[in-house]
Amino acid sequence: MSSKSALPGNIECGIVRSVNTVMGEFLADAEALLAARFERVSLDDIARRAQPTPLHPQHGAYYHG
C-alpha cells in the first residue's frame, strides 16, 4: 500500500470527526432550546390552545367505526 492510498481514509476520518463534533454541538444546542421552552410552557397553556374535536368527522376525515 502506498501513502497515497492511505490519504483519503485519513481525510475521511478527519471529516467524519469534524462533522460528528459539529452535529454533537448542534444537538446539545437543540436540547437546551427545547428544555428552556418546556420550562416556559405549562400543560394549562397547551390545554388552552387545544381545539375540541367535533362529534362527527368532517368530509374526508377517516372514520374509525
Side-chain angles (χ1 to χ4, degrees):
M1 236 190 201
S2 71
S3 61
K4 277 186 165 185
S5 64
L7 186 61
N10 291 338
I11 291 171
E12 181 181 5
C13 289
I15 291 170
V16 170
R17 279 192 304 270
S18 296
V19 169
N20 286 343
T21 298
V22 169
M23 291 305 296
E25 292 167 355
F26 172 82
L27 290 173
D29 290 347
E31 288 174 358
L33 288 169
L34 281 171
R37 178 72 173 144
F38 285 139
E39 287 179 10
R40 295 190 311 263
V41 177
S42 69
L43 290 176
D44 286 336
D45 295 331
I46 295 169
R48 280 192 293 274
R49 292 182 181 191
Q51 306 242 341
T53 304
L55 294 177
H56 301 287
Q58 294 180 355
H59 179 72
Y62 184 78
Y63 178 69
H64 299 276

